[in-house]
């Protein structure tokens, strides 16, 4: 019998072992998944064109998957440092904020006017119709989030990932605002729903017009202005990736992670992610159904769904005193994330953001997303595309009979049409996997009666029932030449329920669908209780293939669904049992595809003729410089197609990116094109080119599928064995202070308490110092200038586990300098939360020689509480306020009570300070340019009780650059 409160230890299952093996393969530097800066590449291979058009790009998607990988590694090992390192890398290289290095990557965001977020420009059906005129035809509505985000965080610098990064600076644009980074922010798709990756023009997100058209940069390819385009920066996030990052941190917290610093970052990301809920130009939802949108106020421009993106930008240089922001009018089913919405809204989930209305917004979004999926579920069970608040991207009137969802128009392929955005089966697995997770979360928590639970269960159950008819392990489905599944009589399967697909035995193979065809539309939404099953909305399932990433996501959907049925009913339902068994069979067959670097299959790329096709549109007269040194579009162009509405030329993929021909796989592709591609029939006569790709997201999806199956179905292993003491604590840290050492460590699974042990010799013997139930302890029984060695062990009812790795620290007294000066301080500013910091000083000459005040500096340490530019004022000085100036300095590493100091300097007119004399009053006041509040209570140099002048050693003084008074924090 197990002791009460003891977590039984499980033997490692096959799936756990395989997860950890894949983890090692992904993290092995020899395998090439990460760049020298530690950034995950989209793929190891470089000759690839899909969403990223070069393999050594990265995406916000890849980062979000990296976090998920590290969450499950932390679950198995209790080592969460890898998760934190991944977040740090994400913050450094793909969230464009000043991550502590002083480089402002959103340099003019403070100029943003929430009453006028952006200037309207219509989207167009063909790239040939661009640039689009910045007409302002429809005035933007107001942004209701900006003020509360400023109040919460002290500034409005968006804490979201930009979606695309040129990891190795292959395009050559460089990182203008952070030149120490090799990785550079770039963008591609900018020209409407028909612009595919084959038709996009890569360009820098920080455009000072060094590249592109002389005097215009790349801006004039996309938008048309009356004036010459200004130098500018601009970023775009993919909402699904940031939501997946938050989803990962939710699971980390659920599985034992408790570092509030990083959980707070996830909350902050969720706070800003709300911009993805807003119409592109903040127009009222549903108001444009007749072609006449109404500018939004408050939150009536909020559709509470995850739009395709949000974007923001502003000016560069001395005249760059402007900024803008847009949301997205288009919502795609594959981008919704009900787990993130749950995590950011439910008190039990623990990630509600700090802004006052964020929790309510995300609670509304959770229900709205579940309604959205219910509305979009076809009669077969597949999920249709989505909806838009801006029909045609230009607020056109809805065609008669268009189905609507809260006033938004049904769109079978939101955002892009080449290929149609909802044809890929992966869009199905991504969204429904998350709904299956929510079904499990709610069932496990005992919520089995709410509408949210009912919708999550119904959506997942219908989808699983449909999809399992088209997924196979150890057998191969029969199809015709166009990819349609066939029944036993050789007839095409064109939908319907429970079709009998003809198969042949194929041991070791797996097959999942690749594409869907859509017809009809859903019924206009009138609430969950009125949903009748969408009898007029149909999906035809096609093109079985062996996509490893889709397989991983699909297995997780099966796994969470099966676990949810057991959590709800106490045992697997019939469909739940079938889902669990299929998940196991798929995982077992997939493992045979491991080539030592990852799980991969050969892929036919019939679209790769487009490497050679002239189809990238440039308007007439446009010529500029690309980052690889070439002129674009160059001279090897053809006239554009007049039927597409433009007047210009077409260039090819290789005309724009000449360095692609140096790729190690280029000669193979070119030879295949020359010998197999038939330009008359537009087919590959001798077979399409085949490639093997180790995509990072795909490898993580399948790796985490093994882990989740183990965690949820195997219960972490093959069954209980004798319980044991917990593992050794990890990530032990020791920070020396004055007569104190601060210790911290990661929580250990199954631990009830921790024993802190100390020695004065490395390696021991150790003496028990304290037993605590938290993961921190401060040792105050130390003597300065003595080195101490510490280990920590964890204990539960079974016993005490092994010691942690040893750490050491040497406490040291903080010396107070003795010199020729001292500082006296007072303040009458007793309000710890207002928009100014006020203090008065006197500098006293305690030496025997006169001191020139121009050689003296005084520093006051505080926390800025929101990164915003600041202003220094000397309201009065006995030596003359014009002789007193101030500057602001950010600490290279924040310390307790301080991340900034302001430094007071004196001009030559301040004169000389004689021995025994003081300067008289110096009255200082500082504020932020946006007049947001400081939180002064914990500021290092502040003493609110010191209303009369007295010596104060927490304000420091320097003479000729040497510290002569006070203690630096």
């Amino acid at each position: 019998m197990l002791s009460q409160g003891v977590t039984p230890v499980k033997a490692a299952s096959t799936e756990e072992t395989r997860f950890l093996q894949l983890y090692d393969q992904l993290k092995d530097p020899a395998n090439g998944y990460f760049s020298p800066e530690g950034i995950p590449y989209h793929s190891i291979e470089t000759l690839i064109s899909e969403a990223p058009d070069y393999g050594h790009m990265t995406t916000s998607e890849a980062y979000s998957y990296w976090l998920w990988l590290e969450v499950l590694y932390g679950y198995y090992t209790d080592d969460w440092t890898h998760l934190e390192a991944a977040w740090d890398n994400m913050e450094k290289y793909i969230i464009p904020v000043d991550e502590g290095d002083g480089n402002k990557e959103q340099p003019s965001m403070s100029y943003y006017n929430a009453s006028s977020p952006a200037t309207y420009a219509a989207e167009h059906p063909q790239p040939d119709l661009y640039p689009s005129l910045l007409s302002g035809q429809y005035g933007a509505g107001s942004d209701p989030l900006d003020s509360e985000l400023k109040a919460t965080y002290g500034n409005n610098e968006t804490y979201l990932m930009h979606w695309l990064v040129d990891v190795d600076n292959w395009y050559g644009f460089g990182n203008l605002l952070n030149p120490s980074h090799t990785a550079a922010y770039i963008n591609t798709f900018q020209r409407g729903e028909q612009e595919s990756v084959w038709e996009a023009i890569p360009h820098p997100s920080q455009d000072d017009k060094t590249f592109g058209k002389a005097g215009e940069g790349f801006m004039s390819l996309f938008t048309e202005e009356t004036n010459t385009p200004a130098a500018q920066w601009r970023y775009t996030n993919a909402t699904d990736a940031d939501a997946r990052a938050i989803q990962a941190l939710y699971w980390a917290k659920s599985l034992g992670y408790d570092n509030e610093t990083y959980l707070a970052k996830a909350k902050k990301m969720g706070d800003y992610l709300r911009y993805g809920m807003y119409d592109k130009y903040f127009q009222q939802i549903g108001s444009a159904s007749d072609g006449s949108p109404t500018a939004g106020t408050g939150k009536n421009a909020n559709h509470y769904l995850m739009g395709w993106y949000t974007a923001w930008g502003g000016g560069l240089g001395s005249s760059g005193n402007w900024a803008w922001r847009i949301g997205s009018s288009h919502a795609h089913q594959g981008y919704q994330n009900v787990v993130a919405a749950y995590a950011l809204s439910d008190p039990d989930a623990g990630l509600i953001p700090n802004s006052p209305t964020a929790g309510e917004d995300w609670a509304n979004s959770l229900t709205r997303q579940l309604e959205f999926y219910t509305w979009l579920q076809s009669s077969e069970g597949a999920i249709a595309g989505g909806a838009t608040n801006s029909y045609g991207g230009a607020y056109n009137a809805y065609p008669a009979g268009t189905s609507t969802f809260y006033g938004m128009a049904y769109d079978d392929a939101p955002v892009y049409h080449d290929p149609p955005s909802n044809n890929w089966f992966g869009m199905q697995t991504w969204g429904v996997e998350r709904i299956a997770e929510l079904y499990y979360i709610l069932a496990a928590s005992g919520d089995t009666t709410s509408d949210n639970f009912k919708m999550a269960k119904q959506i997942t159950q219908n989808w699983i029932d449909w999809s399992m008819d088209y997924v196979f392990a150890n057998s191969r489905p029969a199809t015709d030449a166009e990819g349609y599944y066939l029944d036993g009589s050789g007839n095409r399967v064109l939908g319907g329920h429970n079709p009998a697909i003809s198969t042949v035995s194929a041991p070791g193979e797996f097959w999942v669908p690749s594409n869907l065809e859509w017809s009809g539309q859903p019924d206009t939404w009138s609430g969950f209780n009125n949903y009748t099953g969408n009898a007029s909305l149909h999906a035809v399932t096609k093109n079985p293939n062996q996509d490893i990433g889709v397989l991983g996501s699909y297995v997780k959907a099966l796994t969470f669904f099966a676990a949810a049925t057991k959590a709800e009913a106490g045992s697997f339902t019939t469909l739940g049992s079938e889902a669990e068994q299929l998940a196991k069979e798929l995982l077992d067959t997939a493992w045979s595809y491991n080539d030592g670097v990852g799980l991969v299959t050969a892929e036919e790329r019939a679209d790769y003729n487009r490497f050679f096709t002239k189809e990238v549109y440039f308007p007439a007269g446009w010529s500029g410089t690309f980052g690889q040194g070439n002129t674009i579009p160059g001279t090897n162009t053809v006239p554009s197609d007049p039927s597409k509405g433009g007047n210009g030329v077409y260039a090819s993929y290789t005309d724009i990116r000449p360095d692609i021909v140096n790729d190690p796989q280029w000669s193979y592709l070119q030879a295949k094109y020359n010998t197999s591609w038939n330009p008359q029939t537009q087919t590959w006569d001798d077979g399409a080119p085949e490639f093997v790709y180790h995509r990072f997201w795909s490898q993580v999806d399948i790796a985490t599928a093994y882990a989740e199956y183990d965690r949820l179905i195997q219960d972490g292993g093959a069954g209980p064995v004798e319980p044991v003491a917990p593992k050794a604590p990890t990530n032990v840290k020791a920070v020396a202070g004055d007569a104190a050492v601060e210790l911290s460590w990661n929580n250990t699974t199954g631990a009830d308490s921790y024993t802190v042990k100390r020695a004065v010799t490395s390696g021991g013997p150790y003496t028990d110092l304290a037993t605590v139930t938290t993961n921190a302890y401060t040792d105050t029984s130390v003597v300065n200038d003595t080195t101490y060695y510490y280990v920590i062990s964890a204990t539960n009812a079974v016993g005490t586990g092994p010691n942690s790795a040893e750490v050491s620290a040497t406490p040291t007294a903080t010396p107070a300098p003795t010199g020729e000066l001292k500082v006296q301080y007072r303040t009458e500013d007793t309000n710890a939360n207002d928009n100014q910091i006020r203090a008065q000083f006197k500098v006293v000459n305690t030496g025997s020689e006169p001191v020139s005040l121009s050689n003296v500096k005084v520093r006051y340490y505080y926390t800025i509480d929101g990164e915003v530019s600041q202003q220094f004022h000397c309201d009065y000085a006995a030596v003359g306020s014009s002789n007193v100036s101030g500057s602001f300095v950010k600490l290279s590493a924040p310390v307790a009570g301080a991340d900034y100091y302001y430094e007071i300097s004196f001009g030559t007119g301040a004169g000389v300070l004689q021995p025994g004399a003081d300067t008289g009053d110096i009255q200082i006041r500082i504020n932020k340019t946006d007049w947001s509040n400081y939180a002064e209570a914990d500021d290092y140099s502040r003493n609110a009780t010191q209303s009369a002048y007295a010596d104060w050693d927490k304000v420091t003084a320097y003479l000729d650059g040497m510290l002569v008074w006070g203690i630096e924090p």
Side-chain angles (χ1 to χ4, degrees):
M1 184 174 179
L2 300 180
S3 300
Q4 186 175 4
V6 178
T7 302
V9 177
K10 308 290 183 179
S13 70
T14 299
E15 287 73 29
E16 176 186 346
T17 302
R18 287 174 174 173
F19 166 75
L20 293 172
Q21 183 173 334
L22 281 170
Y23 180 90
D24 289 341
Q25 288 175 210
L26 283 164
K27 300 302 284 290
D28 185 346
N31 287 339
Y33 284 101
F34 289 82
S35 79
E37 289 178 313
I39 299 170
Y41 291 123
H42 174 67
S43 69
I44 293 174
E45 299 77 17
T46 48
L47 186 61
I48 192 171
S49 185
E50 33 203 38
D53 55 6
Y54 183 70
H56 280 194
M57 315 295 287
T58 201
T59 59
S60 53
E61 171 187 83
Y63 268 99
S64 65
Y65 272 103
W66 183 15
L67 295 174
W68 204 348
L69 178 74
E70 301 299 358
V71 166
L72 288 166
Y73 181 77
Y75 164 72
Y76 282 114
T77 65
D78 284 326
D79 183 357
W80 299 99
T81 59
H82 298 271
L83 172 62
E84 294 170 0
W87 194 287
D88 289 343
N89 189 281
M90 176 177 73
E91 191 170 70
K92 185 173 185 178
Y93 291 111
I94 202 169
I95 300 178
V97 293
D98 177 2
E99 64 275 358
D101 59 5
N103 290 293
K104 299 291 186 183
E105 297 180 2
Q106 299 179 41
S108 57
M109 200 65 217
S110 62
Y111 293 102
Y112 173 64
N113 179 1
S115 298
S116 180
T119 302
Y120 170 81
E123 297 171 17
H124 296 295
Q126 292 288 342
D128 305 51
L129 296 171
Y130 285 77
S132 181
L133 178 65
L134 284 167
S135 67
Q137 177 183 359
Y138 303 119
S142 59
D143 169 2
L145 299 182
D146 187 64
S147 59
E148 72 172 50
L149 289 167
K150 282 180 181 176
T152 301
Y153 301 107
N155 63 60
N156 61 351
E157 291 185 13
T158 305
Y159 194 76
L160 297 171
M161 291 182 272
H162 174 66
W163 85 278
L164 187 62
V165 171
D166 181 4
V167 178
D168 296 334
N169 194 30
W170 184 71
Y171 286 111
F173 297 128
N175 193 319
L176 180 68
L177 295 176
N178 206 333
S180 65
H181 294 177
T182 299
Y185 295 107
I186 71 158
N187 214 338
T188 48
F189 309 105
Q190 296 287 294
R191 300 188 294 184
E193 63 192 17
Q194 197 61 39
E195 183 184 44
S196 75
V197 67
W198 301 106
E199 299 166 280
I201 301 172
H203 54 280
S205 295
Q206 301 161 350
D207 193 342
D208 66 352
K209 302 190 279 191
T210 297
F211 300 99
K213 188 175 183 179
E216 296 180 3
F218 284 87
M219 279 79 74
S220 56
L221 284 172
F222 313 124
T223 55
E224 179 184 351
E225 306 178 46
T226 303
N227 300 317
T228 301
Q232 58 190 264
W233 55 272
R234 52 196 183 274
Y235 305 114
T236 302
N237 95 307
T239 59
D240 73 317
D242 298 84
R244 189 182 292 110
I246 295 161
Q247 174 189 359
L249 268 289
Y250 162 76
W251 281 115
K253 188 175 189 300
S254 300
L255 298 175
Y257 180 66
D258 61 357
N259 188 330
E260 287 297 332
T261 298
Y262 289 87
L263 296 175
K265 292 176 185 288
K267 295 177 188 178
K268 183 177 181 179
M269 182 173 281
D271 229 342
Y272 278 94
L273 186 57
R274 290 184 291 157
Y275 276 112
M277 300 179 186
Y278 280 82
D279 175 78
K280 183 174 183 178
Y281 294 105
F282 296 88
Q283 303 298 304
Q284 289 185 28
I285 302 304
S287 68
S289 61
D290 62 354
S292 301
T294 301
T297 58
K299 297 197 175 182
N300 60 16
N302 190 339
H303 46 64
Y304 293 104
L305 300 170
M306 286 290 87
W308 193 258
Y309 54 77
T310 181
W312 67 105
L316 286 173
S318 58
S319 61
N321 57 346
W322 52 275
W324 56 268
R325 189 191 300 280
I326 57 175
S328 175
S329 304
H330 315 307
H332 193 293
Q333 64 89 6
Y335 267 36
Q336 308 310 302
N337 192 317
V338 294
V339 176
Y342 170 80
L344 295 165
S345 64
D346 193 284
D348 292 338
L351 290 180
I352 297 176
N354 294 333
S355 288
T357 66
E360 180 183 1
D361 282 350
W362 281 110
N364 289 335
S365 179
L366 174 60
T367 299
R368 189 67 57 89
Q369 289 183 47
L370 288 166
E371 290 181 291
F372 193 53
Y373 279 109
T374 305
W375 176 61
L376 291 170
Q377 189 155 46
S378 72
S379 61
E380 290 82 12
I383 310 298
T388 181
N389 194 53
S390 178
Y391 200 86
Y395 298 109
N396 297 328
Y398 302 171
T402 299
S403 174
T404 59
F405 177 81
Y406 284 97
M408 300 173 72
Y410 172 66
D411 189 341
D412 65 338
V415 186
Y416 65 87
H417 289 180
D418 184 10
S421 67
N422 201 47
N423 281 28
W424 182 49
F425 183 65
M427 282 293 192
Q428 302 283 311
T429 64
W430 280 351
V432 178
E433 176 201 333
R434 296 187 279 261
I435 303 173
E437 290 183 35
L438 182 68
Y439 174 26
Y440 169 76
I441 291 166
L442 296 178
S445 72
D447 176 2
T448 58
T449 59
S450 68
D451 279 355
N452 283 354
F453 172 82
K454 292 174 184 177
M455 286 189 285
K457 177 181 178 179
Q458 174 180 288
I459 296 161
T460 312
Q461 185 168 276
N462 291 346
W463 188 89
I464 293 291
D465 190 26
W466 157 73
S467 65
M468 287 177 60
D469 293 331
Y470 298 94
V471 176
F472 302 91
N474 299 305
S475 62
R476 186 184 309 157
T479 61
D480 65 14
E482 295 182 49
Y484 290 93
Y485 286 84
L486 302 176
D487 63 18
S489 300
N491 300 314
R492 287 180 172 180
V493 175
L494 300 178
H497 295 275
N498 303 313
I501 307 297
S502 177
T503 62
V504 296
S505 177
E509 293 184 7
F510 70 88
W511 295 91
V512 295
S514 177
N515 291 305
L516 302 170
E517 290 180 354
W518 291 94
S519 62
Q521 64 174 1
D523 299 330
T524 288
W525 184 251
S526 59
F528 174 53
N529 292 330
N530 296 317
Y531 172 74
T532 59
N534 284 331
S536 299
L537 177 63
H538 297 286
V540 175
T541 311
K542 293 180 64 178
N543 305 110
N545 75 355
Q546 295 181 303
D547 188 318
I548 287 288
V550 171
L551 178 73
S553 182
Y554 183 69
V555 166
K556 284 183 283 186
L558 294 173
T559 299
F560 274 100
F561 170 72
T565 67
K566 185 175 182 179
E568 180 187 7
S571 60
F572 295 133
T573 63
T574 300
L575 186 61
S577 180
E578 293 171 357
E580 179 273 314
Q581 291 171 28
L582 179 57
K584 173 65 172 171
E585 291 172 4
L586 291 169
L587 289 173
D588 286 344
T589 58
W591 191 252
S592 64
Y593 293 89
N594 194 324
D595 67 354
V597 180
L599 272 62
V600 289
T601 58
E603 305 175 25
E604 276 198 352
R605 292 305 302 257
D607 61 332
Y608 273 16
N609 65 292
R610 297 179 76 172
F611 271 107
F612 306 93
T613 305
K614 303 287 186 181
E615 57 180 322
V616 186
Y617 177 75
F618 287 84
W622 199 98
S623 180
T625 304
F626 196 67
Q628 293 179 348
N630 54 307
T631 297
I632 54 173
T635 58
N636 191 24
T637 60
V638 299
S640 64
D641 180 353
S643 70
K644 294 184 177 181
N647 174 28
V649 298
Y650 294 142
S652 73
Y653 195 100
T654 53
D655 292 332
I656 297 173
R657 313 162 180 82
D659 286 357
I660 197 69
V661 302
N662 300 319
D663 192 277
Q665 292 182 299
W666 180 258
S667 59
Y668 160 72
L669 175 61
Q670 187 166 49
K672 190 71 173 176
Y673 179 80
N674 291 338
T675 58
S676 182
W677 177 251
N678 187 326
Q680 280 72 45
T681 63
Q682 296 288 294
T683 59
W684 297 89
D685 290 346
D686 190 29
E690 288 191 351
F691 290 84
V692 171
Y693 289 124
H694 297 81
R695 296 177 183 86
F696 182 78
W697 76 265
S698 178
Q699 298 305 311
V700 174
D701 238 342
I702 191 65
T704 52
Y706 285 105
E708 295 292 34
Y709 183 88
D710 168 67
R711 182 172 74 88
L712 296 165
I713 305 300
Q714 305 282 28
D715 197 22
V721 296
E722 284 301 311
V724 297
K727 298 176 183 177
T730 59
N731 195 30
V732 182
K733 297 177 181 178
V735 179
D738 187 347
V741 175
E742 294 182 358
L743 298 156
S744 63
W745 55 91
N746 286 346
N747 278 330
T748 302
T749 300
D752 296 327
S753 64
Y754 302 92
T755 301
V756 181
K757 307 172 187 180
R758 187 181 74 187
V760 293
T761 304
S762 179
Y766 301 102
T767 300
D768 290 357
L769 190 63
T771 298
V772 296
T773 57
T774 61
N775 60 337
Y777 176 75
T778 300
D779 181 9
T780 57
S781 63
V782 293
V783 177
N784 284 335
D785 303 318
T786 300
T787 300
Y788 295 90
Y789 302 88
Y790 298 89
V791 293
I792 316 293
S793 62
T795 300
N796 61 19
V798 173
T800 299
N803 289 336
S804 68
E806 183 184 79
V807 294
S808 63
T810 306
T812 305
T814 304
T818 57
E820 301 94 319
L821 302 174
K822 68 178 180 180
V823 177
Q824 295 182 333
Y825 157 88
R826 74 175 183 187
T827 185
E828 297 174 352
D829 182 10
T830 58
N831 189 342
N833 290 282
D834 60 11
N835 57 18
Q836 298 181 84
I837 295 177
R838 300 172 182 269
Q840 294 87 50
F841 308 98
K842 289 181 180 179
V843 180
V844 182
N845 184 349
T846 59
S848 58
E849 298 292 334
V851 172
S852 174
L853 284 171
S854 63
N855 296 328
V856 174
K857 311 279 189 188
V858 175
R859 293 179 183 172
Y860 180 100
Y861 294 85
Y862 64 100
T863 55
I864 190 172
D865 307 304
E867 198 68 46
V868 179
S869 57
Q870 300 174 90
Q871 296 172 325
F872 176 93
H873 310 275
C874 180
D875 291 332
Y876 171 79
V879 296
S881 58
S882 63
N883 293 316
V884 178
S885 60
S887 59
F888 299 96
V889 178
K890 183 175 183 176
L891 300 186
S892 58
V895 296
D899 50 26
Y900 263 84
Y901 63 79
Y902 66 77
E903 184 172 80
I904 302 170
S905 301
F906 299 90
T908 55
V912 173
L913 192 60
Q914 297 296 330
D918 64 60
T919 58
D921 278 0
I922 303 169
Q923 299 178 8
I924 302 301
R925 173 173 54 88
I926 68 168
N927 62 270
K928 303 177 202 175
T929 54
D930 67 354
W931 293 96
S932 58
N933 284 355
Y934 295 94
E936 299 178 57
D938 61 347
D939 285 357
Y940 178 80
S941 293
R942 181 176 187 266
N943 184 350
T945 65
Q946 194 160 308
S947 58
Y949 276 119
D951 295 352
W952 185 239
D953 62 9
K954 290 189 175 182
V955 175
T956 55
Y958 304 80
L959 181 60
D960 295 322
M962 299 294 294
L963 178 67
V964 294
W965 170 261
I967 301 170
E968 295 176 332

